[in-house]
Each structure stands twice: as C-alpha cells, then as structure tokens.
Amino acid sequence: MKNIVDFDLEGKKVLLRCDFNVTIKDGKILSDERITASLKTINYLVNHKAKVILLSHLGKVKNKEDMDKNTLFPVYQKLCELLNTNVYFSSATRGSILETKINYLKNGEVLLMENTRYEDFPDKLESKCDKELSKYWASLGDIFINDAFAMTHRKHASNYGIAKYLPHGIGFLIEEELKGLEIVINPQRPFTVVMGGAKVEDKLDIIKGILPKCDYLLLGGGIANSFLNIDHNVGISLKDDGKKEELKELLSIYKDKIVMPVDYKILNEGKVFRRKYNEIEDEDNILDIGDDTISIYKERINESKTIFLNGTMGKYESQKEFENGTKEILTAISNSSAQTVIGGGDAISSKEYFNIKDFNFISTGGGATLEYIATNKLKCFEEE
Ligand code: ADP
Ligand code: MG
C-alpha cells in the first residue's frame, strides 16, 4: 500500500477521505478531536502545494430532514479557523458548481465537499458503493488519499470505490493506526482480550474471530451477561437473547479461553448487592463485575504479554457503586508490563473519566478496529 509521502503532489488535485463524523448539536460541534486529528495530513497536502478536496460522511442520511441535520457546514467553519489557507465549501456532491469550484482551486487551497451520504438519499449510492458515483468522484481528482480509519471496514464509494479508479494511498492517521495495532495483530503471548460493553449483537462476530487468536478472553458488561444467560438466571440485566445457541457453542469450543465473572454487583429495587454468578434473582440488574472477579482478571492481566481492551466492565457512568470493575481493570492494564491497546468509544471515554493513562496505543477506530483485530483485514483495502 502506498503512503501519502510516496506521491508527487505539487499542482495535483488530491481527493482526501477524512473522518469528520463529529457530533453536532444546535449547529455546534461537541468535540472537534476528529477534525484536529486530520490536520497533519491536510497540512502536509497544503504545504506540498496540492489542490485539496476533502470528502467525509456525517451520520446517516435516510431522508430530507437528515440532510439538514447532517450538513458538514459547521465542519467547514471549523476548518476555516484551523487551516492557514483559503478554504471553500461545496454544498453539492456532484455537478457543474462543484466541478467549477474544484477547477478554480489554487495550489495549497482546500475545498470541503458536502456530506458524501447526501448521495444515500434516496438510493444509497455512497453506502452501496455505486460504480458510476465512484467513477464520477474519482474523475474530480488526480490522486486519492484515504485517511478515515473508522470507515476502513466498509466498502463505500468514497473510500473503496474511488480508490479503484485513481492512484491511491493512505494518510498519516491510517498509517499510525496500522502501526499501533501491529501490537495486537502479531501479539506476544499470552495475548489477553478484555471485552465488555453493551453492543452484544455487533460484537459476537468479533468474538468469534478473536477467540482462535487470543489465549484468554475476559468478559464483562452485557457480553458477559449474554454468556451467563445460556444456563443461568440474569434477571433484568442487559443481554442479547437471540444468540444463545451460538454462544453456547463458542463456550464449549473455547472453554479454556473464555473467562466469565464469578460474582457481580447488581441493583435490585434501588439497592446494591454483590451476588455470585449462580445466585442472580429475577429482579436483579447486573451492572458491574464483583471483587472476586476483579482479582481473577487481574491475575490473568499480570500474566499477559499483550492485552487488548474494548468496552467497559460495567455501567460505570450510572452510579459510584458500579465504577469499580471498569476502573480496576483499566488500572491493572495500565500498570501491567504487557503491550497494551485500547479500542472503542466507551472504553476510551471511561479511561478519560478515571484519568487512567499509560497504554501503548489507543485506537480510534471503533468497529473498524475490532474488525481488523478479528480478521487481520480491512475491507476497503481488499482487491475485489
Ligand atoms: P465500546 O464503545 O468501547 O465499544 P460499548 O459501546 O459496547 O463499548 O459499551 C459501552 C457501554 O456499555 C457503556 O455505556 C456502559 O455503561 C455499558 N455497560 C457496560 N456494562 C453494562 C451492564 N452490565 N449493563 C448495562 N450497560 C452496561
Ligand atoms: Mg460505544
């Protein structure tokens, strides 16, 4: 795969796929981290006198209201503040006005095109990687650089599609992610994966991919509840009911790798209790792992040479009594001598919440990170 530094950029029209998928409320960007993270690649193109055309999606566009809600205009305003060059905006995602704006770009100037997912209404042309749309966008530039790591597990027109029709490479953000994730792609053993959080259904395929590669899978959160639910009462706890048979099979194949909590912290009619795994009652809501589990997990963490953490052990943000599992496991991982990687929006938020530092790599990719670790592949770089 080529890298941005391998190209001769002066005077070239460079299409740069960024990840500007930020949360916008009342026209204001809540966190501009994704925008500032992109600056290194954008500024490199500007400084090397390319004509820079930025593409990004923002949220989902299923109807006209989504278009108003998910405009990239606030991102354009932010870029005007942050970049030291002329920045323009095209509210059209195709057509003569967009083409004219591109043709008027001078070397080192930047144009942001409106949300690529405007092309998803009504026909999902972007998300289904429509061939004509991919070819059209490719026709607007000379070189394509992909720097949107969080989308690399998708084959969309604006990443996979365009790359088919132009000389292409990756930007600094993707390069950094691939380098950081090397730790878990070629792990030193024992390799321990710690998985918690809420999105059980999404994560089941990931678990299946990870189990053959890791030595231990320590479970928490809704994921652990769903496994416990196979043959125990989990009360009113968060779980995925639909996958019982699949989970049962995994548990029997990988019984030596999957490590389940032995005790939990639960909420029952407003009161907090600690219960053993086989003593959960009908009205119990499991919201954290218990102290015995924390000790067992810490032992495994301390034996490991490589650790990957995703999700949280409990609903740490709901009340103090359910912080401990998430906090203690994060602390143990950060203090361990293993090579450590964290991935997942909430995993990252939780380590910030507890102000725990010292991880070897923090991956920003969410689903893309998990899929890469599970499959060793990123769909948007596949040949066909
Ligand atoms: P990530 O973003 O790191 O991939 P998820 O989005 O899957 O993680 O899950 C994080 C969320 O899971 C957090 O908001 C946390 O409160 C919630 N959570 C963790 N354990 C439980 C639980 N036992 N019951 C309900 N919610 C939980
Ligand atoms: Mg999350």
Side-chain angles (χ1 to χ4, degrees):
M1 202 157 17
K2 276 198 172 182
N3 188 297
I4 186 168
V5 301
D6 299 327
F7 292 92
D8 177 14
L9 298 165
E10 186 167 344
K12 300 277 166 50
K13 286 183 275 187
V14 179
L15 299 165
L16 175 64
R17 177 57 160 99
C18 295
D19 175 13
F20 294 143
N21 186 29
V22 294
T23 309
I24 295 176
K25 220 176 160 187
D26 304 325
K28 283 221 159 59
I29 298 168
L30 292 190
S31 160
D32 58 14
E33 229 167 288
R34 286 190 167 156
I35 303 173
T36 52
S38 310
L39 291 178
K40 189 175 169 194
T41 302
I42 299 173
N43 280 325
Y44 182 88
L45 293 173
V46 168
N47 293 336
H48 284 77
K49 302 194 177 75
K51 298 169 179 173
V52 188
I53 302 141
L54 305 176
L55 290 82
S56 174
H57 76 286
L58 175 62
K60 289 191 172 140
V61 176
K62 292 179 178 160
N63 50 47
K64 283 255 182 280
E65 291 83 75
D66 287 344
M67 285 188 169
D68 295 336
K69 214 171 63 194
N70 292 328
T71 171
L72 278 173
F73 195 76
V75 173
Y76 160 70
Q77 291 173 307
K78 194 80 213 172
L79 285 169
C80 290
E81 274 173 42
L82 294 169
L83 291 172
N84 230 334
T85 182
N86 292 327
V87 186
Y88 304 96
F89 184 69
S90 166
S91 49
T93 50
R94 64 168 86 205
S96 60
I97 296 179
L98 168 66
E99 291 155 26
T100 307
K101 285 187 174 179
I102 291 173
N103 285 332
Y104 272 108
L105 278 179
K106 298 195 189 82
N107 290 1
E109 290 187 333
V110 175
L111 171 82
L112 173 65
M113 189 184 84
E114 184 55 282
N115 187 354
T116 53
R117 287 195 182 159
Y118 274 35
E119 294 287 348
D120 271 355
F121 180 71
D123 291 327
K124 290 205 174 250
L125 297 179
E126 152 76 326
S127 297
K128 290 201 168 149
C129 200
D130 179 75
K131 193 173 165 186
E132 293 314 312
L133 179 63
S134 305
K135 269 192 187 167
Y136 172 71
W137 277 341
S139 77
L140 302 173
D142 305 308
I143 294 168
F144 174 62
I145 300 290
N146 187 356
D147 213 21
F149 183 74
M151 287 304 292
T152 49
H153 61 320
R154 301 276 182 251
K155 288 183 172 179
H156 290 178
S158 66
N159 57 2
Y160 181 75
I162 295 178
K164 283 196 195 172
Y165 304 104
L166 278 182
H168 58 275
I170 57 171
F172 296 119
L173 274 180
I174 292 191
E175 183 189 32
E176 204 178 294
E177 285 281 348
L178 297 180
K179 220 161 97 192
L181 290 173
E182 242 332 273
I183 295 171
V184 285
I185 294 294
N186 292 307
Q188 290 191 48
R189 296 183 177 281
F191 174 31
T192 296
V193 175
V194 187
M195 253 194 143
K199 288 172 284 180
V200 188
E201 202 178 339
D202 290 0
K203 291 184 184 178
L204 183 63
D205 280 343
I206 303 296
I207 291 176
K208 269 196 222 161
I210 283 177
L211 274 166
K213 299 185 182 177
C214 69
D215 297 294
Y216 301 117
L217 177 65
L218 314 183
L219 296 177
I223 317 266
N225 299 346
S226 306
F227 275 91
L228 184 66
N229 182 47
I230 294 170
D231 48 9
H232 289 88
N233 190 5
V234 299
I236 57 165
S237 311
L238 173 77
K239 61 170 187 296
D240 185 345
D241 245 334
K243 300 262 159 59
K244 256 188 179 172
E245 286 310 309
E246 267 179 89
L247 295 182
K248 198 171 176 174
E249 200 185 325
L250 281 181
L251 201 53
S252 72
I253 301 173
Y254 296 105
K255 56 182 178 305
D256 298 332
K257 292 190 176 184
I258 298 175
V259 187
M260 291 278 295
V262 293
D263 61 342
Y264 295 93
K265 285 276 213 54
I266 64 101
L267 191 68
N268 187 319
E269 292 185 354
K271 289 198 186 115
V272 178
F273 299 94
R274 184 173 81 99
R275 300 229 208 273
K276 289 189 178 155
Y277 73 97
N278 52 2
E279 292 175 349
I280 305 294
E281 297 177 6
D282 290 349
E283 300 303 316
D284 287 356
N285 190 1
I286 299 174
L287 292 176
D288 198 4
I289 55 174
D291 290 346
D292 291 348
T293 305
I294 293 174
S295 303
I296 294 168
Y297 284 14
K298 277 185 177 170
E299 276 174 37
R300 295 291 163 115
I301 286 167
N302 290 334
E303 290 166 17
S304 305
K305 289 231 167 74
T306 308
I307 301 165
F308 175 69
L309 169 74
N310 169 259
T312 63
M313 291 294 101
K315 197 168 180 178
Y316 73 96
E317 70 274 47
S318 67
Q319 64 185 80
K320 276 249 174 280
E321 286 88 343
F322 304 114
E323 283 186 353
N324 221 28
T326 302
K327 187 177 169 186
E328 290 291 318
I329 296 306
L330 274 166
T331 306
I333 294 174
S334 121
N335 289 341
S336 88
S337 56
Q339 290 281 305
T340 56
V341 178
I342 292 197
D346 289 280
I348 295 172
S349 308
S350 69
K351 69 123 183 112
E352 269 153 27
Y353 180 83
F354 296 116
N355 195 23
I356 298 169
K357 299 190 172 88
D358 248 348
F359 303 95
N360 292 88
F361 186 65
I362 294 160
S363 176
T364 61
T369 304
L370 292 175
E371 199 168 306
Y372 185 43
I373 297 172
T375 64
N376 284 10
K377 279 190 248 164
L378 286 168
K379 284 204 188 83
C380 90
F381 299 125
E382 275 171 16
E383 289 299 319
E384 247 323 305

